[in-house]
Amino acid sequence: MLGLRLPANPAVRRTVRLTYGFQFFFGLLLWVPIFYQYQKLAGLSDGEIFGIQSIYYVVFCLLEIPTGMIADRFDYRTSLAAGAGVLVAANLVPVFLGSYTGFLLHFILIALARSLVSGAQSAYLYEYLHASGAGEHYLRVEGVGRAYSLVGKIVYWPVIGLLMAWNLPSPYWLTALNAGVALAFALKLPPIPGGRRVTGKTASLLAGVGGALSALRSSRWLALLMVQGIAMFTLVRICQVNLFQPILESKTLSVNWYGAVLAAMTVFEALGAARPHRLRRAIGPVGSVFTLTIVMALCLGAVVFVGSFPTVVLLCVFAVATGISFPVQKQLLNDSIPDSRYRATLLSMESIVDRAVCALVAVALGAYLAAGQLDEFLVLSAVVTCVVMGLLAVLLLAVRKHRSDRRVPVARLGDQAPARETVTPRFLPAGPRPTDSVAPGGSAAAERLFRGSQLQSREVGQAGN
């Protein structure tokens, strides 16, 4: 299984496999390589196509917080099942309504489905593994799960162009079928051991928002990690969804090659996702995401100056960086959340800003494409990303200095949240705090901005909870 040794506990092994199945089928959106051309064939203009994308991101922003609160308030599994059910309906809309209205409704439902799943999926896996005493497996399970979600795309995407030529709406039919299978996996997921989702309920949805915002205000480190993730996620989504087809079109590649190129990118992304721990050990989790974001930005900028084959190579490098950075960023955020009652809501807060930025970028991209200035857009994206990451580095250094001045003892958390920001949720059993015992040299390790922790992920996760 991509080199992953699963926990010995049979119940945990079964749950991990169920989450793999859910991720595999829920993420198998077979129409991604061809939706731009599909909508053009339906008579939509570039302005309409990218206008729909912008609306999609805005709707996602509006839905992220409510769906995250619902997942925290009730049950992660219910949110996952609802997301899969909505995805089934979303992919049937273009089959029966191939117009601007139909595609707009399609993407609005996609936004609802993905918002129901985005925070709940990671939160469920993190909470379940830690409640089962297998928290040290989270990073690799998250990475391998993402790798598995990409495997089907590697198989199907190269032939999507041929499928569309044989039967125009077939990619949407098949995607709806995949969503139905994902729904079946979601319904089989077991509850989190110990009843933590029951005893940990917040008093109300409004209280959940207030609690999440309070947790975010109390942790500048968590806020900066979210900003770093937003920069990375925006690059990935804009490249893979909005820029991918215009880039290949500008290099005069036939649409029949789009699926094959995207499949090649997916192979490299899966390889990176399956081994996120290697770079993390070398330069630390924050340093990994920071460096990989810069690499992705430079790849997009370099596309302007090369031909078709080097462009494909650069896109594959971009994909490797994407695969490594996603699971590392997810663990960074999960480990830094001070109160697990608001986990899905806090994870959704990152996504809501991410989609808001994507909405603005999609509008700008549509304007640049309409003016025939794709190259200018790519260069500008690379420059802006590098400048933003440079400013973020300054802020990270300032936070490090502040923590050093306060000399807060930390149990060798490395790049994780400082101990003073970690609170024990009221619904957890009383007992010694994980930060009560400080390892020798812990304070020095805590001040290394781009160096990771040598502790097991389980210990870090306990500190985060």
Side-chain angles (χ1 to χ4, degrees):
M1 298 183 68
L2 296 177
L4 175 68
R5 291 181 295 179
L6 291 175
N9 187 326
V12 176
R13 294 171 67 92
R14 178 177 179 273
T15 300
V16 168
R17 290 191 175 105
L18 286 173
T19 61
Y20 285 167
F22 178 85
Q23 287 179 268
F24 178 91
F25 287 100
F26 186 86
L28 204 54
L29 304 179
L30 299 181
W31 45 262
V32 169
I34 52 86
F35 82 91
Y36 177 75
Q37 293 295 327
Y38 190 95
Q39 291 180 8
K40 276 196 164 184
L41 290 174
L44 275 68
S45 66
D46 280 341
E48 289 175 323
I49 293 171
F50 288 102
I52 290 175
Q53 292 297 298
S54 182
I55 293 172
Y56 160 78
Y57 289 126
V58 171
V59 172
F60 197 107
C61 291
L62 296 175
L63 294 174
E64 268 288 80
I65 296 299
T67 53
M69 289 188 300
I70 289 171
D72 280 326
R73 169 63 177 163
F74 298 105
D75 186 67
Y76 298 141
R77 297 173 301 153
T78 302
S79 188
L80 296 178
V86 172
L87 189 62
V88 173
N91 287 287
L92 293 177
V93 172
V95 176
F96 300 104
L97 191 59
S99 63
Y100 176 86
T101 302
F103 288 114
L104 177 60
L105 178 59
H106 164 69
F107 274 99
I108 288 174
L109 291 175
I110 292 289
L112 175 58
R114 296 186 73 85
S115 66
L116 284 165
V117 170
S118 63
Q121 178 179 299
S122 179
Y124 172 81
L125 182 60
Y126 189 90
E127 291 281 354
Y128 184 92
L129 289 177
H130 281 81
S132 302
E136 69 274 13
H137 293 277
Y138 172 76
L139 176 62
R140 292 192 180 186
V141 169
E142 183 74 64
V144 173
R146 180 168 175 79
Y148 276 134
S149 74
L150 301 170
V151 169
K153 300 171 185 177
I154 297 170
V155 175
Y156 286 104
W157 276 352
V159 297
I160 285 301
L162 297 177
L163 282 175
M164 190 175 71
W166 167 68
N167 183 274
L168 194 62
S170 60
Y172 291 94
W173 278 113
L174 292 174
T175 303
L177 178 62
N178 294 332
V181 178
L183 174 60
F185 277 104
L187 294 173
K188 289 180 176 293
L189 289 172
I192 294 172
R196 295 175 66 185
R197 297 308 308 155
V198 176
T199 57
K201 286 182 180 178
T202 55
S204 67
L205 293 180
L206 185 60
V209 179
L213 290 174
S214 177
L216 185 60
R217 285 195 302 267
S218 69
S219 175
R220 285 178 293 174
W221 190 253
L222 176 60
L224 288 176
L225 291 181
M226 285 187 173
V227 173
Q228 179 175 251
I230 289 164
M232 183 265 292
F233 290 144
T234 301
L235 275 181
V236 171
R237 288 190 174 92
I238 290 297
C239 176
Q240 293 183 343
V241 177
N242 302 104
L243 279 174
F244 170 75
Q245 294 174 64
I247 286 175
L248 295 187
E249 188 177 49
S250 72
K251 303 300 178 180
T252 65
L253 282 176
S254 168
V255 67
N256 291 333
W257 285 97
Y258 287 11
V261 173
L262 198 52
M265 290 175 61
T266 307
V267 170
F268 285 97
E269 185 176 347
L271 292 174
R275 294 291 185 272
H277 53 286
R278 293 184 176 178
L279 184 62
R280 183 182 184 276
R281 288 173 180 171
I283 61 176
V286 174
S288 297
V289 178
F290 185 93
T291 302
L292 292 169
T293 303
I294 297 294
V295 169
M296 287 188 281
L298 294 177
C299 285
L300 286 183
V303 162
V304 173
F305 308 102
V306 299
S308 56
F309 179 74
T311 293
V312 174
V313 173
L314 287 170
L315 291 175
C316 289
V317 173
F318 185 100
V320 172
T322 299
I324 298 172
S325 57
F326 259 86
V328 175
Q329 175 68 13
K330 283 185 178 292
Q331 184 174 29
L332 264 174
L333 285 183
N334 273 302
D335 286 343
S336 301
I337 290 173
D339 192 333
S340 62
R341 290 175 299 171
Y342 312 115
R343 187 174 303 281
T345 304
L346 285 167
L347 292 174
S348 293
M349 284 182 175
E350 182 193 43
S351 292
I352 195 173
V353 182
D354 159 27
R355 264 60 175 205
V357 175
C358 286
L360 295 175
V361 174
V363 172
L365 174 58
Y368 272 85
L369 285 179
Q373 296 178 333
L374 175 62
D375 289 350
E376 289 81 354
F377 181 85
L378 292 173
V379 172
L380 180 62
S381 298
V383 171
V384 169
T385 301
C386 291
V387 170
V388 169
M389 295 307 291
L391 294 174
L392 180 61
V394 173
L395 293 174
L396 288 169
L397 290 171
V399 171
R400 183 187 69 170
K401 184 178 185 302
H402 177 74
R403 292 162 64 190
S404 177
D405 291 342
R406 292 178 64 90
R407 299 187 181 279
V408 179
V410 181
R412 296 187 67 193
L413 290 182
D415 285 327
Q416 312 305 326
R420 64 184 174 85
E421 297 173 345
T422 302
V423 296
T424 304
R426 290 189 297 274
F427 60 88
L428 291 180
R433 290 168 57 91
T435 53
D436 286 342
S437 176
V438 180
S443 296
E447 306 310 323
R448 292 198 298 267
L449 174 62
F450 295 113
R451 298 296 299 173
S453 168
Q454 300 301 317
L455 282 179
Q456 295 293 327
S457 298
R458 179 181 177 183
E459 296 171 353
V460 178
Q462 289 171 345
N465 286 328

